[in-house]
Amino acid sequence: MRSTSDEKGLKKIYEGKAKILYSIPGDDERIIAYFKDDATAYNGKKKGTILRKGEYNNSISSSIFTLLKEKGIESHFIEKLSGKEMLVYRLKMLPVELVVRNVAAGSLAKKMDVEEGIKLLSPVVEIYFKSDELGDPMINETYIGAFDLGNPADVEKAKQIALKVNDVLKDFFDGNGLILVDYKLEFGLLKGDVVLADEITPDTMRLWDKVTLEKVDKDRFRRDLGGVEEAYKRVYDITSKIKQ
Ligand code: ADP
Ligand code: UDP
């Protein structure tokens, strides 16, 4: 499907599973991220579309990055340009994904053979190497230097930021009837500083209703639970209250 950025003749620099990145003529510092309705799971093996996901995720991410900035946490976010488009700083991305967990679910519940829903005594932070071919293997801090994946100090900084994000978002969602179970973050370098990048949405977070424990995130798509669009809309409605 053609996006508004396509129509403006902007150059596509990358198309991923959830977003398209466009360069802006004469601007080396900023790019446009276009949020697609496409949904994938299990490393791209399950494919589908979620009605209005592009609009919901663009808005949810814009609101969350705005909230985090208010709390002193910097990101690539500059402004929301349209329904599905966000203006961001073009970053040199760290080749890792950080997952922070407050409650056991998904791969952690399987790995530790515990029931989904067990509250962790303290947050767990995991590092994954971003590689579609390898299926994003889990690594640890010592891999960064050993395999020349970047500056180990940058990954350490990312870890500290990821935990600060946890304090802010756990509180925010708790105040809005949801449990922040876990989430994935990506980071990049902006003039040498480590900042948050990519997106923070129901595609990348697990959120459960505090009372019913109903899932309000992409697990509804992954596990064919129905009510997928409604779940994204609920998070959209909650985050829309954040002033941009
Ligand atoms: P995937 O690549 O996993 O399919 P997406 O469709 O979300 O995921 O693609 C977005 C891509 O853009 C990701 O590779 C992500 O690391 C990268 N990215 C996110 N924010 C920025 C940024 N500010 N500058 C450069 N690249 C970014
Ligand atoms: N996650 C993500 N992208 C990935 C892998 C995980 O956004 O490539 C998010 C996922 O939505 C969840 C958290 O990270 O909120 C932890 O995911 P988990 O390791 O449990 O993976 P899963 O079992 O969902 O594949």
Side-chain angles (χ1 to χ4, degrees):
M1 208 211 293
R2 284 173 66 78
S3 71
T4 7
S5 299
D6 272 332
E7 281 152 18
K8 286 181 219 142
L10 298 183
K11 198 167 153 261
K12 212 184 257 194
I13 47 178
Y14 177 81
E15 175 154 8
K17 298 183 285 291
K19 295 189 288 300
I20 306 173
L21 305 181
Y22 294 93
S23 60
I24 304 167
D27 190 335
D28 293 337
E29 290 186 354
R30 303 177 306 166
I31 54 174
I32 293 170
Y34 171 90
F35 286 71
K36 306 199 283 185
D37 289 342
D38 298 353
T40 63
Y42 310 115
N43 208 5
K45 285 192 221 42
K46 182 179 167 83
K47 287 194 175 78
T49 50
I50 298 171
L51 207 62
R52 280 185 275 279
K53 180 170 86 91
E55 275 96 350
Y56 290 149
N57 278 359
N58 185 28
S59 170
I60 293 165
S61 245
S62 299
S63 298
I64 291 181
F65 284 136
T66 301
L67 172 69
L68 292 173
K69 189 172 171 71
E70 273 166 27
K71 306 285 180 184
I73 302 169
E74 297 294 333
S75 78
H76 68 163
F77 177 70
I78 303 171
E79 63 173 319
K80 185 166 170 278
L81 293 176
S82 70
K84 292 185 174 187
E85 292 167 308
M86 181 193 281
L87 184 66
V88 301
Y89 290 109
R90 182 177 200 161
L91 306 182
K92 184 177 183 306
M93 297 297 289
L94 306 188
V96 294
E97 296 185 344
L98 263 57
V99 170
V100 180
R101 302 171 182 273
N102 298 305
V103 174
S107 66
L108 179 67
K110 260 197 212 114
K111 185 199 303 179
M112 295 304 288
D113 192 23
V114 294
E115 232 177 274
E116 276 210 317
I118 301 283
K119 195 173 177 300
L120 303 170
L121 298 177
S122 51
V124 161
V125 183
E126 298 167 345
I127 308 175
Y128 293 88
F129 175 46
K130 260 172 76 80
S131 162
D132 280 340
E133 303 84 71
L134 300 177
D136 295 352
M138 195 199 274
I139 58 171
N140 65 39
E141 287 90 335
T142 64
Y143 285 56
I144 308 298
F147 288 93
D148 198 21
L149 302 179
N151 181 351
D154 287 340
V155 175
E156 183 50 40
K157 273 184 214 150
K159 218 170 136 180
Q160 296 314 319
I161 298 170
L163 287 169
K164 268 199 213 158
V165 169
N166 200 35
D167 291 338
V168 176
L169 294 189
K170 224 169 46 169
D171 254 27
F172 171 77
F173 285 115
D174 182 69
N176 285 285
L178 297 176
I179 302 168
L180 178 61
V181 171
D182 57 33
Y183 55 93
K184 180 270 294 179
L185 298 175
E186 294 189 28
F187 298 84
L189 296 175
L190 179 62
K191 295 184 180 125
D193 287 332
V194 179
V195 300
L196 275 172
D198 207 51
E199 64 178 283
I200 305 180
T201 66
D203 274 9
T204 63
M205 293 181 277
R206 284 197 172 93
L207 295 163
W208 294 353
D209 184 282
K210 261 164 79 172
V211 177
T212 63
L213 299 184
E214 189 185 49
K215 299 180 197 314
V216 193
D217 56 54
K218 194 164 121 180
D219 272 347
R220 303 207 72 83
F221 168 80
R222 290 191 189 98
R223 302 179 189 187
D224 297 318
L225 299 175
V228 183
E229 194 199 331
E230 291 77 4
Y232 281 71
K233 179 165 188 310
R234 181 165 169 195
V235 182
Y236 163 81
D237 285 340
I238 287 170
T239 52
S240 290
K241 291 187 282 186
I242 299 166
K243 268 226 157 20
Q244 275 183 49

